[in-house]
Amino acid sequence: MNIKCFSVLAACIAVSLLLTACDKATNTDTGNTIGNRGNATKEEQSAVDEEAAVSANPFEKYDPPVKVRVARSVDQTWTYPEGDSIDNNIWYREYESLLGIQVVHDWTALLGEYNRRLNVAIASGDLPDVFSVSSSQLKQLADGGQLEDLTDAYEKYASDHTKKLQMGDGGAALASATFNGKLLAIPVVNAPIYESNLLWVRTDWLDKLGLPEPETLDDVLEIAKAFTERDPDGNQKQDTYGLGVGNYLYGPIVSTTGFFNAYHAYPQIWLKAATGEIVYGSVQPEMKDALAKLREMYRDGQLDRDFGVKDSNKVAEDIAANRIGMAFGANWNPYVFIDAVKKNPDMEWKPYPVPSVDGTPTRASASFSASGYIVVRKGFAHPEAVVKMLNLHEEVVHGSRRDEGEFITVEENGERINTSRLSLVQSGVSNEGVLESLELLRRAIENEDESLLGDTLTESDKYGPTVNYLKTGSIDSWAVAHQYFGFVTTMDHYTGDRLLMTAFGGQTPTMIDKWATLDKMERETFAKIIMGAASIDEFDVFVSDWHKLGGETILHEINDWLSAQQ
């Protein structure tokens, strides 16, 4: 698609809507035209207003054009196509030609400076028309009455496609941008389903030791014991570990998150209790059981005795050195394993769903679905402009008119230039959109029919390499294909309520002051417990201290915050 085609599309939409409106205006039950407002009853006028809201053109062009003053963060490493800049680029030109929106920078700044400068602007009330904010800045602006209500603008102008993508997380992101019934921001939606911890196992070691594939947590523990004690690498040394763990403990690589999930424990996320109140996952009693088991595994040599000083890169080196047979991590962990596979051609990894301690299916913990927000200052005359810009982004980047060559990536002089980041009002693909695309990808791969990809929003580039790997076993396609295998495991086991997204994605005032201390205390205490430097009962001391040192206040702030988002 080029700019002219997209502009013609918008013009066609406008003409179609105009003709539809005219047709409706001359075919009423009363014989009067709907446009004859002087003769319309109150009920008829209400119907007209509702019809107008429903049929608003999501790409309606301003004539004359409107200026939108913006502030935005930039990166000094960004490059631009020849002749372009942050002030004049493919997105800004399209905003003006298609939508009649002229973007003018009040100011730009590097990310760290941006937040400092924006906080000054918030305090002074000297705000640009449109700008991006964090969750805590959103709350501050909402409490201060400094934001324009976007409720009507969104309902009237958001395209069906935009609304579908924004609701793809069940409405959580939009709810987080809503205060006292008013939509005060456009959330930047993403897909936390990508974070689900899977159990990655060296199946070549399973085969060598005659072990079954893991179906229960007991199976996992037996495999960890065998991988530690039965010399799976065949070097006649006791130098292998059943489970790889890094000193960060959590996250997407060599993580304990999946292990805790097996015990129905959910560290580092906020959970809604049966009472409806928010609680912190890391201080719940299920955590203690999982820590006790990790402590046993460490004592028995199934975890590296030096894991406390090894980051994920160091653990990856141990994987390449044939020392580790299992690890919990995200679907993309094959990109971590690929160097090891190249060095060890017989090495093979396979993803499995995480089995639970009691047979009840595990739930995978994940972060919040909104990573940021776009807001409009109170009093700006055209708040619907941000909705129109969002429609453009969703159509060009995530829609059937996706334009890889202009609005996403430009190839120039042998360099790939990312132009999608110049989009001023953008959002990602939510869980629902990702799952729809992955199902299309699965159908295409299983049938070796690329046409079945249809309008896939994500991961379509996995098709060719995965089919190639399934046919040839090419090492060049190994990582891509194995990530696809991770996708399949995620699709089959971590959708719906089996993906446990944190109930809160913001940052409260006390979190700003206290979180670094609380987080450090948590990781240090848990590492000491696992390594036997502290008793398992130290967990109870940690829980008490966590609440005393700021946790209790944070929970009150979170619950008050969420009460306002109704």
Side-chain angles (χ1 to χ4, degrees):
M1 184 201 76
N2 56 38
I3 298 176
K4 291 181 179 179
C5 290
F6 200 87
S7 299
V8 169
L9 165 69
C12 290
I13 292 174
V15 171
S16 175
L17 289 168
L18 179 60
L19 292 174
T20 300
C22 291
D23 181 65
K24 289 176 180 175
T26 56
N27 289 281
T28 64
D29 291 339
T30 62
N32 297 325
T33 62
I34 292 178
N36 187 357
R37 293 173 179 257
N39 296 326
T41 66
K42 184 180 294 186
E43 290 77 10
E44 288 171 338
Q45 186 59 57
S46 177
V48 170
D49 293 340
E50 182 176 347
E51 183 67 38
V54 170
S55 61
N57 177 4
F59 300 100
E60 182 179 358
K61 184 175 182 178
Y62 294 105
D63 187 14
V66 301
K67 286 187 178 181
V68 179
R69 298 183 305 109
V70 307
R72 68 177 302 176
S73 63
V74 297
D75 191 309
Q76 59 189 359
T77 65
W78 286 2
T79 57
Y80 305 89
E82 185 175 356
D84 280 10
S85 67
I86 187 62
D87 297 296
N88 178 19
N89 55 71
I90 184 67
W91 283 94
Y92 288 14
R93 290 191 294 270
E94 186 72 345
Y95 292 148
E96 184 164 5
S97 65
L98 177 69
L99 301 175
I101 296 173
Q102 297 175 343
V103 175
V104 178
H105 288 139
D106 259 14
W107 50 268
T108 63
L110 299 177
L111 182 58
E113 177 66 15
Y114 174 87
N115 286 324
R116 186 198 67 77
R117 191 165 177 178
L118 180 58
N119 287 334
V120 171
I122 293 172
S124 66
D126 183 18
L127 296 170
D129 299 327
V130 175
F131 51 102
S132 62
V133 296
S134 66
S135 55
S136 58
Q137 290 166 334
L138 171 61
K139 180 66 163 55
Q140 182 181 355
L141 287 161
D143 288 346
Q146 294 173 276
L147 298 178
E148 188 66 26
D149 182 0
L150 303 178
T151 309
D152 291 341
Y154 183 83
E155 285 304 315
K156 183 175 181 180
Y157 286 97
S159 68
D160 290 342
H161 182 61
T162 291
K163 289 179 178 178
K164 178 181 179 182
L165 292 178
Q166 286 282 306
M167 281 296 292
D169 64 347
L174 282 170
S176 73
T178 303
F179 294 81
N180 298 317
K182 297 179 180 180
L183 180 67
L184 298 183
I186 299 295
V188 180
V189 177
N190 53 41
I193 194 169
Y194 279 125
E195 301 171 15
S196 303
N197 260 208
L198 309 174
L199 174 64
W200 291 91
V201 182
R202 279 196 62 171
T203 52
D204 59 306
W205 280 8
L206 288 182
D207 294 340
K208 183 173 182 178
L209 301 180
L211 298 169
E213 295 185 308
E215 295 183 358
T216 68
L217 187 59
D218 284 342
D219 291 339
V220 174
L221 299 175
E222 285 298 318
I223 291 170
K225 186 174 187 294
F227 282 179
T228 302
E229 300 176 356
R230 293 175 57 187
D231 191 28
D233 61 346
N235 69 352
Q236 309 301 312
K237 296 178 182 179
Q238 200 81 4
D239 60 354
T240 55
Y241 305 104
L243 181 65
V245 175
N247 60 359
Y248 189 72
L249 289 183
Y250 310 125
I253 310 172
V254 290
S255 174
T256 60
T257 300
F259 191 88
F260 283 112
N261 291 169
Y263 283 79
H264 308 302
Y266 306 100
Q268 299 264 297
I269 70 171
W270 306 98
L271 309 170
K272 181 170 286 190
T275 60
E277 294 289 301
I278 299 300
V279 298
Y280 183 50
S282 293
V283 300
Q284 302 310 302
E286 292 83 3
M287 291 287 294
K288 189 174 183 179
D289 295 335
L291 285 168
K293 181 55 68 175
L294 287 169
R295 180 186 175 90
E296 288 180 23
M297 294 175 70
Y298 180 86
R299 179 199 64 198
D300 295 339
Q302 296 169 25
L303 275 60
D304 185 349
R305 302 198 70 79
D306 296 325
F307 86 84
V309 294
K310 289 187 175 182
D311 61 16
S312 58
N313 291 325
K314 288 293 184 183
V315 181
E317 291 176 7
D318 285 338
I319 291 172
N322 260 331
R323 295 194 183 106
I324 292 173
M326 286 192 297
F328 292 95
N331 63 73
W332 49 265
N333 274 210
Y335 294 97
V336 178
F337 303 147
I338 185 60
D339 287 342
V341 174
K342 289 179 178 178
K343 293 177 182 177
N344 304 277
D346 294 331
M347 180 183 286
E348 180 58 31
W349 292 86
K350 181 177 177 180
Y352 296 88
V354 178
S356 75
V357 66
D358 57 7
T360 301
T362 55
R363 302 174 74 187
S365 52
S367 63
F368 197 64
S369 57
S371 58
Y373 302 87
I374 301 293
V375 296
V376 177
R377 70 167 176 82
K378 182 78 171 179
F380 180 55
H382 300 284
E384 71 283 349
V386 296
V387 182
K388 295 178 183 181
M389 287 190 280
L390 177 62
N391 290 335
L392 175 62
H393 179 89
E394 300 291 40
E395 193 66 29
V396 175
V397 177
H398 300 131
S400 60
R401 296 167 188 84
R402 176 182 170 91
D403 188 347
E404 182 71 35
E406 287 185 292
F407 293 91
I408 300 175
T409 304
V410 170
E411 299 232 6
E412 192 172 272
N413 300 322
E415 180 185 6
R416 290 175 60 85
I417 301 172
N418 182 341
T419 52
S420 66
R421 59 192 169 198
L422 299 174
S423 173
L424 186 64
V425 184
Q426 57 181 274
S427 193
V429 179
S430 60
N431 286 338
E432 183 180 279
V434 165
L435 286 171
E436 287 180 359
S437 295
L438 292 181
E439 287 293 351
L440 291 174
L441 177 62
R442 171 152 60 180
R443 285 174 50 200
I445 289 173
E446 289 176 347
N447 291 277
E448 289 188 31
D449 184 352
E450 192 169 5
S451 69
L452 294 177
L453 289 173
D455 293 331
T456 305
L457 299 180
T458 64
E459 311 300 350
S460 59
D461 59 335
K462 302 294 187 292
Y463 172 81
T466 302
V467 170
N468 178 56
Y469 178 81
L470 292 172
K471 287 182 175 180
T472 68
S474 169
I475 189 66
D476 293 334
S477 300
W478 189 93
V480 176
H482 282 70
Q483 182 182 20
Y484 167 73
F485 302 153
F487 288 156
V488 171
T489 304
T490 300
M491 282 189 283
D492 290 344
H493 297 279
Y494 294 115
T495 62
D497 64 0
R498 289 193 62 184
L499 181 72
L500 184 60
M501 187 175 73
T502 186
F504 178 72
Q507 191 176 34
T508 72
T510 304
M511 288 175 72
I512 294 173
D513 292 336
K514 303 288 188 181
W515 190 254
T517 299
L518 293 174
D519 183 63
K520 181 180 179 182
M521 179 176 67
E522 176 179 332
R523 295 177 196 276
E524 289 181 350
T525 301
F526 289 1
K528 288 178 180 179
I529 290 173
I530 293 169
M531 300 172 73
S535 74
I536 188 62
D537 290 331
E538 192 68 21
F539 174 78
D540 301 315
V541 177
F542 158 74
V543 171
S544 176
D545 288 346
W546 185 89
H547 283 90
K548 291 177 183 176
L549 297 176
E552 193 67 37
T553 303
I554 290 171
L555 289 172
H556 283 306
E557 290 172 343
I558 290 174
N559 281 289
D560 289 345
W561 186 325
L562 295 180
S563 293
Q565 291 178 327
Q566 303 294 330

